[in-house]
Amino acid sequence: MPVSPRKLNTFLLFKLPAAYFCGVRTKSLSDTTCVVSVKHRWINQNPFRSMFWAVQGMAAELTTGALVMSKIRESGKNISMLVANNNASFSKKATGRITFTCSEGTKIEEAIHKAIETGEGQTVWLHANGINAEGIEVSKFNFEWTLKVKS
């Protein structure tokens, strides 16, 4: 059964309620791209009246993680996934609706294929950019995912 935006949003409610109640929602998921958005609201703001960096991080991580989960499911193998490192940069106050996009499904497929082929753990850096309603980038996130076939 494929991973879908609706299933991911339900997953958030039960497994990551902080993200769900902060308004993080998956908008679309394709073979190569995942789009997640979150709207600046009272519950997810910082004292400076913009979106708290951790809320942006939850949305950004979901874009990359949803793609990884989807590709693992497609592989049919039992593969563990874990964020080993991450970093971020912020260039503008995050207000209004912020949309995060990761378009690196192909990189994930290659890493999973290599993990299955070699039996060794693999790492892949995935990027998610946060864009506001005016089309201006407000933040960039990078996540290093580790993938390992379970025996």
Side-chain angles (χ1 to χ4, degrees), residues 1-147:
M1 186 177 291
V3 179
S4 70
R6 184 175 182 172
K7 288 178 186 173
L8 285 169
N9 292 332
T10 302
F11 173 82
L12 284 182
L13 176 61
F14 292 105
K15 298 296 185 179
L16 297 167
Y20 185 85
F21 290 118
C22 283
V24 174
R25 298 292 186 276
T26 306
K27 295 299 180 187
S28 67
L29 177 64
S30 72
D31 197 43
T32 58
T33 304
C34 182
V35 178
V36 172
S37 77
V38 60
K39 187 175 182 183
H40 171 240
R41 299 183 304 171
W42 173 85
I43 197 165
N44 63 23
Q45 74 179 349
N46 61 29
F48 311 106
R49 296 186 184 171
S50 64
M51 192 179 301
F52 186 53
W53 69 267
V55 175
Q56 293 181 64
M58 288 189 287
E61 183 183 358
L62 182 58
T63 63
T64 62
L67 276 173
V68 173
M69 288 188 315
S70 177
K71 294 298 180 182
I72 288 172
R73 182 160 293 196
E74 282 177 20
S75 77
K77 300 291 183 182
N78 192 8
I79 299 174
S80 66
M81 57 187 274
L82 179 69
V83 173
N85 287 295
N86 77 298
N87 60 58
S89 61
F90 304 89
S91 51
K92 185 168 175 50
K93 269 183 132 176
T95 57
R97 182 163 301 280
I98 309 300
T99 303
F100 290 88
T101 305
C102 177
S103 300
E104 298 181 308
T106 305
K107 281 175 72 172
I108 301 165
E109 280 180 356
E110 292 167 4
I112 289 173
H113 179 72
K114 192 169 181 182
I116 293 168
E117 206 173 69
T118 65
E120 297 175 3
Q122 300 296 314
T123 63
V124 59
W125 278 96
L126 301 175
H127 312 284
N129 294 344
I131 307 294
N132 67 15
E134 291 80 41
I136 300 168
E137 183 177 87
V138 298
S139 57
K140 291 182 193 179
F141 284 82
N142 303 299
F143 297 93
E144 181 185 28
W145 286 94
T146 60
L147 305 167

